[in-house]
Amino acid sequence: SREQEPKRKMSFGKAVIGLLAASVASLLDFSSAFEVVGGPSSPINVTAHNYTDDEGALLQGFLSIPPNTGPIPGNGYPAVVILHDSSGVDAYEKQRATMLAQQLGYVAFAADIFGVYAEMPTRDFRDPKYRAFMGQFNNNPAFFVQRIRAAVDFVKSLDIVDANNVAMIGYCFGGTGVIQYVYVGETGATAGVVAFHPSLSPDTPGPVANITPPVLVITGGSDFLTSPMAMMTLEGNLNSAQATWETVRYAGINHAWTNWFSPNYDERADARSWYSMKSFLGFQFGHEEYDTQPPLPASTNVDAVAYADKSDNGFALQGYLSVPNDVSTENPVPAVIILPDMDGPTLYEKQRAAQISQEFGFIGFVADIYGYDVQTSTAISSSDLDNQAQMYLEKKELYVSRIQAAVDFIKDHALVDSDNIAVMGYSFGGTGSIYYTLIGDTSKVKSVASFHGGLLNGLPNA
């Protein structure tokens, strides 16, 4: 029998702040934020299924279905097609399929791109035979995508699958396949696609049609196969194809970092990328949806507090503090410092501080950049605030000094766990977050987040 699965509503703002809170918690060593999601000993629970491509080539994929704990949802389960890396379908993809089914409740299918009768040479990129074998896919997008389409069509034909809710993820070679799939205008995996550490060349041909499925690309910042130039080209291509897209990059992370059988495996980046994929698919499959109501607390519950920039002759500042219930000096908690936009501390930032306090149990603190006199003056106009913002964008060291004053104040607060402090900023404050990262004393904070910060005034010399 089938029954309709309820949706979980989440506001856009709450989704953003939730990801931030989890990110901050992860950086603050809260083990519950991004738990290890798999490993070499992860279980495998799949069944082999043969299918064919448009040319009749025999392929063999591996299917994993959710535990049979109740009736099948009304239209069937959402499904995820997994595209393998350059080693073909092996234990890794089967483990990922099992995880998607057992942890997330999706039908998962580890697709076969190479084919049952493929004679794959030893994986050695110096070997012309191996390069030729891989080249038949990498250099022939139509053939590559034809194999991918066969897997999508097979999954959509299954009775237990909601054919309108099929997504695709790919690792390495498979991540490249995901990009090729959307570039040629395929729409079978309409729910969305995720590419983990694909191989991206700046001279790869771009999209030939508009891209319909939403796209998430997750890469390592030190991955030679996803250089900054390649990523810039990718984003330009996605924009030109009117795609809905997201990109995520992890600093210092090399290629194949999700593969626990690889020497480049990085546990933290793997866990964070799994969370990103999980959140992305949840919204795309309609299990969670963006609420249209304002997510911020109606009551700010903040207290004005005076502090000073001691490095600037005690320049007077006024911030706003929101403290969770049941916090004591015996049980201090992490703190998140909020850098305001160019209007200075307003209701919006105070609501963010209250949200951080009420929903996530951290102390929220709205920092002051312009100073007490500007905040309390009744004669300050919007143009005056614009001038203030411009001055700090030009005097980057002074801007960072104001941020450091907030960090020092919070670090000394009796209710704050001084080893666990984060800084986040919006717009003008997002730019300040970047400045602070480059030239501030970041040894006193665990993480820095920038929301839509601008860089038109350039970057300080780090």
Side-chain angles (χ1 to χ4, degrees), residues 2 9 98 109 131 153 168 187 204 212 216 226 236 318 321 338 345 351 371 395 398 410 445 449:
R2 299 172 184 264
K9 290 189 176 182
T98 304
F109 184 67
R131 292 200 303 270
D153 290 345
M168 179 189 301
T187 60
T204 298
T212 300
L216 171 60
T226 53
Q318 179 171 277
L321 194 70
I338 302 169
Q351 287 174 313
K395 297 182 177 181
L398 182 60
I410 285 296
V445 301

Side-chain angles (χ1 to χ4, degrees), residues 20-341:
L20 170 72
S23 301
V24 170
S26 174
L27 293 170
L28 301 185
D29 297 326
F30 293 173
S31 61
S32 62
F34 290 103
E35 297 178 352
V36 178
V37 293
S41 60
S42 293
I44 295 175
N45 186 2
V46 298
T47 55
H49 290 263
N50 291 340
Y51 62 107
T52 59
D53 68 2
D54 292 345
E55 299 175 355
L58 182 63
L59 308 166
Q60 185 177 78
F62 297 87
L63 187 73
S64 188
I65 61 175
N68 186 17
T69 58
I72 297 172
N75 296 319
Y77 291 107
V80 180
V81 175
I82 304 169
L83 305 185
H84 58 72
D85 60 23
S86 59
S87 62
V89 187
D90 56 20
Y92 176 75
E93 286 79 18
K94 296 173 186 177
Q95 288 170 321
R96 288 291 186 186
T98 304
M99 291 165 60
L100 284 163
Q102 296 188 353
Q103 294 183 20
L104 304 186
Y106 304 144
V107 169
F109 184 67
D112 178 13
I113 302 300
F114 294 157
V116 171
Y117 299 115
E119 297 182 3
M120 183 177 174
T122 302
R123 295 179 69 196
D124 183 352
F125 289 96
R126 298 167 298 180
D127 183 353
K129 292 183 179 179
Y130 179 73
R131 292 200 303 270
F133 178 83
M134 298 303 296
Q136 66 180 315
F137 303 100
N138 291 327
N139 300 330
N140 188 351
F143 181 54
F144 199 169
V145 170
Q146 188 261 119
R147 289 284 173 90
I148 298 171
R149 187 190 310 118
V152 173
D153 290 345
F154 171 78
V155 168
K156 294 176 76 170
S157 72
L158 298 174
D159 289 341
I160 61 172
V161 167
D162 179 355
N164 294 318
N165 249 343
V166 175
M168 179 189 301
I169 69 173
Y171 295 91
C172 189
F173 168 76
T176 306
V178 166
I179 302 300
Q180 296 283 18
Y181 181 82
V182 295
Y183 270 14
V184 300
E186 289 286 330
T187 60
T190 54
V193 299
V194 184
F196 294 89
H197 45 82
S199 175
L200 301 174
S201 171
D203 56 0
T204 298
V208 299
N210 285 347
I211 295 174
T212 300
V215 180
L216 171 60
V217 181
I218 310 179
T219 67
S222 296
D223 187 347
F224 71 101
L225 293 174
T226 53
S227 67
M229 181 62 70
M231 293 302 295
M232 184 172 68
T233 300
L234 170 71
E235 292 183 1
N237 286 337
L238 294 174
N239 280 334
S240 68
Q242 300 182 30
T244 299
W245 59 269
E246 304 172 32
T247 59
V248 179
R249 287 171 69 75
Y250 301 119
I253 301 300
N254 294 303
H255 189 65
W257 42 269
T258 63
N259 191 333
W260 38 73
F261 298 109
S262 165
N264 288 340
Y265 178 69
D266 187 272
E267 184 177 280
R268 175 179 172 274
D270 180 33
R272 288 171 63 84
S273 68
W274 183 262
Y275 182 94
S276 293
M277 178 208 69
K278 175 183 174 182
S279 175
F280 176 82
L281 293 179
F283 285 112
Q284 299 310 134
F285 284 144
H287 292 166
E288 297 174 351
E289 60 184 22
Y290 296 114
D291 199 340
T292 58
Q293 298 300 314
L296 300 175
S299 173
T300 57
N301 190 31
V302 298
D303 296 317
V305 293
Y307 66 109
D309 185 348
K310 298 178 181 178
S311 67
D312 187 20
N313 300 313
F315 185 82
L317 299 162
Q318 179 171 277
Y320 298 88
L321 194 70
S322 184
V323 180
N325 295 327
D326 302 323
V327 176
S328 67
T329 55
E330 291 77 23
N331 184 33
V333 297
V336 179
I337 297 170
I338 302 169
L339 306 183
D341 63 22

Side-chain angles (χ1 to χ4, degrees), residues 271-460:
R272 288 171 63 84
S273 68
W274 183 262
Y275 182 94
S276 293
M277 178 208 69
K278 175 183 174 182
S279 175
F280 176 82
L281 293 179
F283 285 112
Q284 299 310 134
F285 284 144
H287 292 166
E288 297 174 351
E289 60 184 22
Y290 296 114
D291 199 340
T292 58
Q293 298 300 314
L296 300 175
S299 173
T300 57
N301 190 31
V302 298
D303 296 317
V305 293
Y307 66 109
D309 185 348
K310 298 178 181 178
S311 67
D312 187 20
N313 300 313
F315 185 82
L317 299 162
Q318 179 171 277
Y320 298 88
L321 194 70
S322 184
V323 180
N325 295 327
D326 302 323
V327 176
S328 67
T329 55
E330 291 77 23
N331 184 33
V333 297
V336 179
I337 297 170
I338 302 169
L339 306 183
D341 63 22
M342 64 192 305
D343 292 331
T346 64
L347 176 63
Y348 175 76
E349 286 83 12
K350 296 171 186 177
Q351 287 174 313
R352 285 297 189 197
Q355 185 179 34
I356 287 171
S357 170
Q358 294 172 19
E359 296 188 19
F360 306 111
F362 304 157
I363 286 176
F365 179 68
V366 182
D368 180 15
I369 303 300
Y370 300 155
Y372 175 81
D373 290 343
V374 172
Q375 273 202 66
T376 57
S377 172
T378 59
I380 295 294
S381 66
S382 59
S383 62
D384 292 330
L385 293 175
D386 290 345
N387 291 335
Q388 284 281 317
Q390 189 59 40
M391 180 191 73
Y392 281 99
L393 291 173
E394 293 173 355
K395 297 182 177 181
K396 298 175 176 58
E397 290 78 10
L398 182 60
Y399 194 174
V400 169
S401 179
R402 298 287 188 261
I403 299 170
Q404 191 63 57
V407 172
D408 292 341
F409 172 76
I410 285 296
K411 195 171 183 67
D412 291 338
H413 197 285
L415 299 179
V416 171
D417 178 354
S418 60
D419 292 327
N420 290 321
I421 297 172
V423 173
M424 57 182 274
Y426 295 91
S427 188
F428 168 73
T431 304
S433 296
I434 297 172
Y435 290 176
Y436 183 72
T437 300
L438 293 174
I439 61 173
D441 183 8
T442 53
S443 65
K444 296 184 177 182
V445 301
K446 279 291 185 69
S447 65
V448 179
S450 172
F451 291 88
H452 43 83
L455 300 176
L456 293 179
N457 287 76
L459 293 172

